[in-house]
Amino acid sequence: MLCLAVFAVSIDATVLNVALPTISRELGAGTAELQWIVDAYTLALAGVLLTAGSLSDRFGRKKMLMAGLAVFGTASGLGALAQEPWQIIAARGLMGVGGAFFMPGTLSILVHVFSPAERAAAIGRWGALTALGMVLGPLLGGVLLEHFWWGAAFVLNVPVVVLALLGVGWIVPESSDPVARRADLPGTVLSTAAMGGILFGVISAPAHGWASGLVLGPLLGGLVVLALFFVRQATAEEPMLDLRLMLSRRFLGAGGTMAFLMFALIGGAFVVTQQLQLVLDFSPMTAGLATVPLAVATVISSPLSPAVAKAAGARVTIALGLATMAAGLGVLAFFAPNSGYPPTAVGLVLLGAGMGLAVAPVNDVLMSAGPPESSGRLSAMNDTVQELGSAFGVALIGSVLALAYGNALPGTAPPALRRSLGEAAEAVHGLPAARAGSLLDAAHRAFAHGMALSMAVCAATALLGAVIALVLIPGGRRPRPGDHPTSAGHQGQAAGAAPADPPPVEPPDPAPRSALSTGPARTADEP
């Protein structure tokens, strides 16, 4: 049921992209409105995630998960009924708020339901469904548009959410932080404003340029507010986040690795989607089918990840996965731009195989960076890192692609041709056939150059993520709940210090076991 919930939101991350041209045509949405139909979800999701994770630990993860699902499903239904672009934007923002409340819950509940021995496999399935939903989104969107209207992309979520609500309500046990904590209202406001400002600036960059005041203002303002948030967390009696946890090698290594992984994955997918439709001239549905090798490779490699991690260690498995992703992105950079679909398929297979290997262990390492009672906040930080990595991936890789494309065009090319390959066909409309063909050939060569450069940047980013994993993620066994430096028995450690790996500590007597757990029960740390 938890995987079904995360599958719904991961599909929604990409399924709507295919429907944007139809929405533009039928509702009269302009370019800016289409951008915000996509970005309103990400902005709301990332802005509320840290607050949602803290509230989940405080009031109950199952309650918050079900509330988030209900909001997400209701907003999806409202989106399908929209008659104006602003109504879709509002619905997408509300869907992001709902997603922020149930996304952290899915992963944090896994920490409590499954024993440490089972957890890696459970997180592997969770990660596989997340990745599978993202890559199947365009395919499902193409199928729906082929047979129904654009609103079907929203209606798709409703039955999945209803089924997930029934299953979670029946099967999933409740859990929360056993220590009653006061709500950190200043921290809540600061975290929401900081994430919102940073994401707004990054999202606006491709359309307005990095030097624009509309980008620099929110981005720099968000960074200033983020600094104030960290000051608040360092001085508050009961902070939203434990800075000692965030400064540990385990969290920094896993969080940094996840950010670079998502940057490379989403940035690469952004370029490949355009290549399939604008260069290879695939229809939306055919382009969706063309991404199936990525999904198949992910589904095959994800179940193998826990076994590889057990044999070679999480650190080596994560680095191996990111190196495999880099190899796939290298194929897409140096062989795919001018060679048709087969090299693209090979690159997608390697990309999916590497992602399947890396996602489960990096999530497991991150979720083991703190005690179980902080799992909601840990999961929220994990999701925030993913959203930031994805947003920066699209913004920076989009900027690299646009800059390289424009610079590679001949000086005689019309200004309209320089904006994007997608607008090139419209720009040459009405010109003599020979002139139009010559300009389109130049535009395709320029896009190939831009694709090679942007994919090379993605490959380098994935390799850097592998290096971060090898350097920062500790080797050896994964800590048990009693080992965490943030537990009650280690409160004397200096605030802000990066904790070293502590010696083994035997856990206290277990609490009653969950009905779903087949392994030894775990409980909160006690001194």
Side-chain angles (χ1 to χ4, degrees):
M1 288 300 107
L2 297 175
C3 289
L4 182 63
V6 78
F7 184 66
V9 74
S10 59
I11 284 178
D12 188 76
T14 54
V15 69
L16 192 63
N17 292 339
V18 180
L20 291 178
T22 307
I23 292 174
S24 176
R25 183 174 61 253
E26 296 190 7
L27 297 186
T31 301
E33 290 168 316
L34 291 177
Q35 179 188 5
W36 280 108
I37 286 173
V38 175
D39 293 335
Y41 176 85
T42 301
L43 189 63
L45 177 70
V48 182
L49 267 170
L50 293 179
T51 299
S54 180
L55 293 175
S56 294
D57 285 338
R58 178 179 173 83
F59 295 110
R61 301 177 183 97
K62 178 179 177 178
K63 292 187 185 73
M64 292 297 103
L65 189 154
M66 295 184 70
L69 279 170
V71 171
F72 185 84
T74 301
S76 297
L78 292 174
L81 299 175
Q83 301 296 315
E84 300 288 341
W86 70 265
Q87 295 172 336
I88 301 182
I89 294 171
R92 290 279 293 168
L94 190 58
M95 288 168 68
V97 172
F101 276 90
F102 79 78
M103 278 294 288
T106 58
L107 189 53
S108 61
I109 288 173
L110 286 179
V111 173
H112 291 266
V113 169
F114 294 95
S115 70
E118 302 167 314
R119 189 187 308 163
I123 291 178
R125 291 191 290 272
W126 181 91
L129 264 294
T130 302
L132 185 62
M134 293 177 67
V135 297
L136 286 183
L139 175 59
L140 290 173
V143 172
L144 290 172
L145 285 177
E146 192 88 2
H147 298 92
F148 305 100
W149 94 117
W150 62 265
F154 289 92
V155 175
L156 173 68
N157 296 324
V158 177
V160 178
V161 165
V162 171
L163 185 59
L165 275 171
L166 293 174
V168 169
W170 180 37
I171 298 175
V172 175
E174 181 61 279
S175 65
S176 62
D177 189 339
V179 179
R181 302 175 189 271
R182 289 179 296 178
D184 181 14
L185 295 180
T188 298
V189 173
L190 289 172
S191 69
T192 301
M195 290 297 102
I198 292 171
L199 263 294
F200 184 91
V202 172
I203 286 169
S204 301
H208 301 281
W210 289 95
S212 168
L214 192 63
V215 174
L216 288 178
L219 187 57
L220 295 177
L223 291 173
V224 170
V225 176
L226 184 63
L228 295 176
F229 170 75
F230 282 119
V231 170
R232 165 68 188 179
Q233 298 310 292
T235 56
E237 287 187 17
E238 296 187 21
M240 179 188 297
L241 302 179
D242 191 332
L243 295 186
R244 291 171 298 175
L245 181 154
M246 296 185 67
L247 294 174
S248 68
R249 281 182 61 196
R250 187 172 291 273
F251 181 85
L252 289 175
T257 300
M258 179 60 79
F260 281 96
L261 185 154
M262 294 303 296
F263 181 104
L265 173 66
I266 302 302
F270 173 77
V271 180
V272 169
T273 301
Q274 296 184 62
Q275 183 226 13
L276 293 174
Q277 296 194 48
L278 301 178
V279 177
L280 300 182
D281 200 27
F282 289 174
S283 68
M285 184 172 178
T286 305
L289 287 170
T291 64
V292 168
L294 174 63
V296 171
T298 303
V299 171
I300 291 175
S301 64
S302 292
L304 301 176
S305 179
V308 177
K310 185 176 181 180
R315 175 171 60 182
V316 173
T317 305
I318 294 167
L320 177 62
L322 281 158
T324 306
M325 289 180 64
L329 291 163
V331 171
L332 291 171
F334 299 110
F335 298 99
N338 296 300
S339 304
Y341 177 68
T344 300
V346 172
L348 291 176
V349 167
L350 290 172
L351 184 61
M355 180 174 62
L357 279 178
V359 166
V362 76
N363 275 310
D364 193 28
V365 169
L366 194 146
M367 291 303 294
S368 69
E373 59 266 25
S374 297
S375 60
R377 280 163 283 184
L378 278 168
S379 182
M381 286 188 282
N382 179 35
D383 292 335
T384 302
V385 165
Q386 290 188 41
E387 291 299 322
L388 288 173
S390 300
F392 273 99
V394 171
L396 291 176
I397 295 303
S399 297
V400 169
L401 178 63
L403 184 62
Y405 169 80
N407 289 339
L409 286 171
T412 57
L417 198 75
R418 296 183 176 276
R419 286 195 287 267
S420 71
L421 180 59
E423 296 183 41
E426 293 294 330
V428 301
H429 185 71
L431 294 176
R435 174 64 172 161
S438 175
L439 288 174
L440 284 177
D441 286 343
H444 280 99
R445 288 193 298 270
F447 182 87
H449 171 73
M451 178 178 177
L453 183 59
S454 55
M455 285 299 186
V457 172
C458 289
T461 303
L463 282 178
L464 185 56
V467 172
I468 290 174
L470 290 173
V471 171
L472 288 181
I473 293 179
R477 67 168 178 84
R478 188 167 65 75
R480 294 172 301 199
D483 295 343
H484 293 300
T486 53
S487 61
H490 297 276
Q491 291 300 318
Q493 189 171 356
D501 291 342
V505 178
E506 289 300 321
D509 292 335
R513 297 171 59 185
S514 160
L516 295 185
S517 178
T518 58
R522 294 167 293 109
T523 186
D525 297 320
E526 295 292 338

